Amino acid sequence: MSGLRVGVLGATGAVGSTVLEVLAERSFPVAELVPLASERSAGKRLPFAGGEVEVRALSEESIQGLDLVISSAGGAVSSEWAPRIVAAGAVVVDNTSFWRMHDDVPLVVSEVNPEAADAHRGLIANPNCSTMQMVVALKPILDAVGIERLVISTYQSVSGTGQRAIEELNEQSRAVLGGEEPEARIYPHPIAFNVLPQVETFKGGDDYTTEERKMMAETRKILGASEELGISATCARVPVFGAHSESVNVQTREPLDPDTCRELLAAAPGVVVLDQPADGLYPTATDVAGHDEVFVGRIRRDPSHERCLNLWIVGDNLRKGAATNAVQVAEVLAQRDLIRVPEPSLAAA
Ligand SMILES: NC(=O)c1ccc[n+]([C@@H]2O[C@H](COP(=O)([O-])OP(=O)(O)OC[C@H]3O[C@@H](n4cnc5c(N)ncnc54)[C@H](OP(=O)(O)O)[C@@H]3O)[C@@H](O)[C@H]2O)c1
């Protein structure tokens, strides 16, 4: 395939800068790379594929002439600009939460439901990071024995909130170790040396957070499951820089023993099984950060239910949880000759 003109919106952010790395690592066929961000970053130079590219401010002019845009500049920017980018002729792979649950927007995980991309109308959504890594590990189990219910607890890193949260954990850690009071700006409480049972917000009096609601709704959409798939999620923020960890209790439809589960997962694309707990071998956030695969360990029977297993699932939220999947979706689109905006497009909706 000849090279594409690729825009990366939010290129200076935690996700966008990782998108630049992953595009180069995977040798995605880029003829021209256009990094886009706010006016604040215009003119800044970013490393790309052994050279440098100059950031352009997002505008009607800077989105012209592109084939594909990988967008990670927040929901408000995507709500306004994704239809404009589609109208300008580019297919958008969007990392924000804004479009994920729209009926005419496919929500795609490359190993799980690549065929969903076929129905795109100019925009494909990338799932939430904690949902993404979980469904990669659940898909082989779903296909083999069915899943009735999931009980999820997450331990999410600060890079999931973006660049400013990474800086906040750094600053607060130094403050506490220096005997000073940590100042909380991004999160409602200090995150250094703490665990917060709140990821995102409690909207409209809901007693689940928006992150927990996203995990429940997006998991069902990606797996093609109805409300009959019971899901209960508790999401916590922990003072870890990169990679989300999850404890997932899976109630299967048919019985599944831990050894068969290990075999299923070891054979699944994008999954690495690391499970010799007596030797201290299980996935940890610091080991998994920087990897593209989802790692699974502590696979064991739940003694309280004959059809339940417990899994420990760890993934790099900036890589498989965002940038890597976005680039893999772009690869799926390229393989299926889908990097073109169909009519009627989302922009006309
Ligand atoms: N972090 C994760 O693990 C993760 C995973 C999945 C999805 N996401 C989603 O991806 C999005 C970005 O997250 P992030 O963690 O990368 O955030 P971030 O580090 O704060 O980066 C935000 C990016 O958006 C740009 N931006 C902000 N306002 C803009 C505007 N008005 N016009 C153009 N560009 C603008 C910023 O540019 P400037 O530098 O010019 O301000 C920056 O490049 C969010 O919607 C987030 O929910 C994040």
Side-chain angles (χ1 to χ4, degrees):
M1 189 180 43
S2 58
L4 298 164
R5 286 159 299 170
V6 180
V8 176
L9 173 55
T12 52
V15 175
S17 55
T18 312
V19 169
L20 293 187
E21 284 173 33
V22 175
L23 282 169
E25 282 168 15
R26 297 179 72 92
S27 301
F28 189 80
V30 178
E32 187 189 352
L33 193 289
V34 180
L36 300 163
S38 76
E39 289 280 357
R40 295 179 288 274
S41 305
K44 200 170 166 184
R45 299 189 74 77
L46 300 176
F48 177 67
E52 280 190 343
V53 283
E54 187 175 311
V55 176
R56 299 184 64 186
L58 177 64
S59 69
E60 267 310 322
E61 194 198 335
S62 61
I63 61 171
Q64 301 302 319
L66 299 170
D67 299 303
L68 173 78
V69 172
I70 298 180
S71 164
S72 325
V77 174
S78 269
S79 68
E80 180 186 344
W81 282 89
R84 291 199 199 180
I85 296 170
V86 172
V91 172
V92 175
V93 179
D94 187 51
N95 269 306
T96 78
S97 59
F98 187 82
W99 296 99
R100 290 179 192 147
M101 295 309 294
H102 281 236
D103 284 344
D104 47 9
V105 172
L107 183 61
V108 178
V109 180
S110 64
E111 299 88 347
V112 178
N113 62 339
E115 67 290 343
D118 293 347
H120 87 76
R121 293 178 56 200
L123 190 145
I124 297 94
N126 218 26
N128 167 269
C129 40
S130 43
T131 306
M132 183 96 72
Q133 65 184 59
M134 183 179 72
V135 296
V136 171
L138 292 181
K139 174 69 172 165
I141 299 174
L142 178 77
D143 288 347
V145 289
I147 295 176
E148 285 181 350
R149 182 167 182 257
L150 301 166
V151 181
I152 306 156
S153 299
T154 71
Y155 307 76
Q156 297 183 218
S157 72
V158 297
S159 61
T161 316
Q163 256 347 329
R164 288 170 59 227
I166 297 171
E167 288 154 23
E168 180 148 313
L169 175 56
N170 255 317
E171 287 164 15
Q172 287 182 357
S173 303
R174 271 195 287 270
V176 172
L177 292 172
E180 293 164 24
E181 277 295 310
E183 188 191 342
R185 293 187 303 272
I186 302 289
Y187 300 118
H189 304 278
I191 182 64
F193 305 97
N194 209 355
V195 176
L196 309 181
Q198 175 179 356
V199 175
E200 295 199 342
T201 56
F202 295 94
K203 203 171 158 188
D206 194 354
D207 51 5
Y208 280 80
T209 61
T210 46
E211 180 83 351
E212 289 160 349
R213 290 284 173 205
K214 280 191 266 181
M215 279 203 91
M216 298 188 245
E218 291 180 25
T219 298
R220 289 194 182 98
K221 180 167 175 177
I222 298 159
L223 296 180
S226 65
E227 289 291 323
E228 278 176 26
L229 171 60
I231 312 180
S232 178
T234 302
C235 295
R237 187 73 66 189
V238 293
V240 165
F241 284 105
H244 293 345
S245 305
E246 299 172 340
S247 166
V248 181
N249 182 273
V250 187
Q251 184 174 321
T252 55
R253 211 166 277 287
E254 307 294 329
L256 179 67
D257 62 76
D259 280 340
T260 311
C261 182
R262 272 181 212 104
E263 283 168 24
L264 278 175
L265 292 176
V271 180
V272 175
V273 174
L274 193 59
D275 198 16
Q276 292 172 40
D279 301 323
L281 280 180
Y282 37 71
T284 67
T286 52
D287 285 341
V288 168
H291 290 268
D292 286 318
E293 299 89 351
V294 170
F295 286 67
V296 187
R298 301 292 319 276
I299 299 169
R300 63 208 189 279
R301 212 179 269 290
D302 173 348
S304 71
H305 193 291
E306 61 182 4
R307 279 182 289 105
C308 281
L309 293 177
N310 284 306
L311 313 179
W312 180 249
I313 302 171
V314 186
D316 184 324
N317 49 290
L318 293 175
R319 284 193 161 256
K320 184 60 195 173
T324 301
N325 193 68
V327 176
Q328 288 171 317
V329 167
E331 290 168 352
V332 167
L333 294 172
Q335 282 154 13
R336 292 174 176 243
D337 192 22
L338 291 169
I339 304 191
R340 55 195 156 71
V341 176
E343 288 298 335
S345 76
L346 186 90

